[in-house]
Every structure is written in structure tokens, then in C-alpha cells.
Amino acid sequence: MRAGYGRSVFEPLLPLVLGRDVSGEVAAVGTSVHSLSVGQEVFGALHPTAVRGTYTDYAVLSEEELAAKPASITHVEASAIPFAALTAWQDLLLCLWCGYRQRLLVIGGGGAVGFAAIQLGVAAGCYVTTTCGSNSVARMLESGAEQAVDYTAEDIEVAIKGKFDAVFDTIGLPETERTGINFLKRGGHYMTLQGEAAALTDRYGLVVGLPLATSILWKKQIQYRYSHGIEYWWTYMRADSDGLAEIRRLSEIGKLKMPVEKTFRGEDIPDRASEGCS
Ligand SMILES: NC(=O)c1ccc[n+]([C@@H]2O[C@H](COP(=O)([O-])OP(=O)(O)OC[C@H]3O[C@@H](n4cnc5c(N)ncnc54)[C@H](OP(=O)(O)O)[C@@H]3O)[C@@H](O)[C@H]2O)c1
């Protein structure tokens, strides 16, 4: 977003406050809020299009964007979870059929969303296989993935055996899309985080970009249905109180964790953001 992602939506609304995840204490509530109270410890995430973000001392969120913070983890640990996990949750919602004993392939399990998807899939009873960098392999296996293939050292098309019920592609490059789709059984589901809606609306504006993105999605859906017999989806993060409740439950019992590599002060965010931290 600092570099201009989403400019078609955000440019008229500048200046923005960035930041999506939050963990903290409720300072005040509106009159219609019933599930939260002042002083309560909460965590959650704003919707992707929110204009007033969480890189602040005080943030404004709606009731359904928050849940009680898991008591067993710190605010720092809790603040690393919701946005990535809710994005992965949308994927699992889309593939509800990818439940107990189904095979799920997560492309890019080393990233925040991919790692959350592995843990949510394992908790749902899926057999999860993932691709990740060499430094992430041990973490993937510890989180319950059956196989973690190092995409920097191995040919994943050789290393991974068999077909999958669902593929969740957090990378969305042409080659990961091709590989992911070829790994699906007929009737399987491919989901990518790299839908073209944002890029096309940024390039052509909402009026042209959005219908263009929709037509590209429909074309791919029809094409893959006929060529491979699979369903093709773009998936996006959405605030979801049921999802957040499940994420809270799994975090509380240690089944959903996000490693925190480093912490930094609010005033250092501009420098750190350019290093890739969020
Ligand atoms: N559509 C949405 O609503 C939505 C929501 C959130 C994020 N996103 C997008 O989804 C992507 C992932 O987000 P994130 O927060 O998970 O990113 P992240 O934490 O920065 O993770 C990126 C990871 O991708 C892995 N990777 C890179 N190339 C790979 C490849 N060829 N094969 C397998 N793994 C590869 C690397 O893992 P290793 O360290 O293991 O090498 C890297 O750590 C980003 O592009 C983000 O913008 C979309």
C-alpha cells in the first residue's frame, strides 16, 4: 500500500493510516456494542479497504472485527495472527469440502498466510503438503504438514506424489498456478491470493478494471472447468467473526501460532516496511 497497491480505492482518501492487525485493550465502546467491554483484552484485524489502520495508539474497529485475545499468548504474538489467519480462513471456507481426510496443497507455506492455512487445514483434519524455502521446512513439519518440499532445492513436480482435493496458492506466479492446477484431482479446487482485481483497477480505474477482472476470472473458471475439470477461485481476506472465533480457539490451545521474528517501534515503521515487515 505504501508503494501504491490499491491506489484506485485509496488515492482519493489520502492520507491513510496503514496497519491491519491489532491486539490491545478496549478503551471505549459505542452504544450498540454488546460483546465487548472497556478494559477487555482483544485482538483482530481490519478489512483490507479500511482507511484508518492500526499503526496507532488508538484504533477504531467494529465489533465483528474483534474477539477476546487468547489468554495464553502475549499481545505481540496475538497481533501477528488475525489478518493472515482470516485470509487463510476464506480459503478454507471456499473449500469446506477440503475437510477431514482430504488432501490440501499449500504453495508458499513459509509465508504468514500459507503457514496459517497449513495449521487451519491440519486442525480441520486435512492431509497437508506444502512448498517453502529451506529455512521453513522444519517449522512446516512441526505444524503438522505431512510433507514440506523446499522449492529452492527440489523439483516440486517430482517430489510431491499424488493428486489433491484443493490447492491454495499464496504465490500466484504463472508457474505455481500451472503446477498447482496439474496437482488437482478432477472436481478439485484451486485458490490463489493473487487475483487480478486490485492490479487491474489500479491500472485502469474501477469502472474499467473491475469488469475486466471479472471477465478474466470467468474466462479462467470456464477454461479450467473444461480443460481440467476443476474449480478456479481468487480469494481475499474478509473480516469474519466466526472465523476469528475459530482462530481465537485454535490460538488459545496452541494449534495456531505465528512466529514473531522481531518487533519495532511505531516511528520505525516506514524504514521497516521497506524491509518487508508488516
Ligand atoms: N488476497 C488477499 O486478500 C491477500 C491477503 C493477504 C496477503 N495477500 C498476498 O498474499 C501473498 C502472501 O502473503 P504473506 O503475508 O503470506 O507473505 P509473506 O509472509 O511475506 O510470505 C512470502 C513467502 O513466500 C514464500 N515464497 C516465495 N516464493 C515462493 C515460491 N516460488 N514457492 C513457495 N514459496 C515461496 C517465501 O517463503 P520461504 O521463506 O519459506 O522461502 C516467503 O517467506 C502476498 O503477495 C500478499 O500480498 C493477499
Side-chain angles (χ1 to χ4, degrees), residues 69 81 93 167 240 265:
K69 179 183 84 65
I81 295 172
L93 273 192
V167 171
D240 179 319
R265 297 178 308 165

Coordinates of all heavy atoms in Angstrom, one line a residue, residues 69 81 93 167 240 265:
K69 N -8.8 -11.6 23.2 CA -7.4 -12.1 22.9 C -7.3 -13.4 23.6 O -7.7 -13.6 24.8 CB -6.4 -11.1 23.5 CG -5.0 -11.5 23.2 CD -4.0 -10.6 23.8 CE -3.7 -10.8 25.3 NZ -3.1 -12.1 25.7
I81 N -1.3 -12.6 14.2 CA -2.1 -13.7 13.7 C -3.3 -13.3 12.8 O -3.5 -13.9 11.8 CB -2.7 -14.6 14.9 CG1 -1.5 -15.3 15.6 CG2 -3.7 -15.6 14.5 CD1 -1.8 -16.0 16.9
L93 N -12.9 -21.8 3.9 CA -14.4 -21.7 3.7 C -14.7 -22.0 2.3 O -15.7 -22.7 2.1 CB -14.8 -20.2 4.0 CG -15.2 -19.8 5.4 CD1 -15.9 -18.5 5.4 CD2 -16.1 -20.8 6.1
V167 N -5.9 -26.9 -3.8 CA -4.6 -26.2 -3.8 C -4.8 -24.8 -3.4 O -5.7 -24.1 -4.0 CB -4.0 -26.3 -5.2 CG1 -2.7 -25.5 -5.3 CG2 -3.6 -27.8 -5.6
D240 N -14.4 -11.6 9.5 CA -15.4 -12.7 9.7 C -15.4 -13.1 11.1 O -14.4 -13.7 11.6 CB -14.9 -13.9 8.7 CG -15.9 -15.1 8.8 OD1 -16.3 -15.4 9.9 OD2 -16.1 -15.7 7.8
R265 N 9.4 -0.2 16.9 CA 8.6 0.9 17.4 C 7.8 1.5 16.2 O 8.2 1.5 15.1 CB 9.5 2.0 18.0 CG 10.2 1.5 19.2 CD 11.1 2.6 19.8 NE 12.0 3.1 18.7 CZ 12.7 4.3 18.8 NH1 12.6 5.0 19.9 NH2 13.4 4.7 17.8

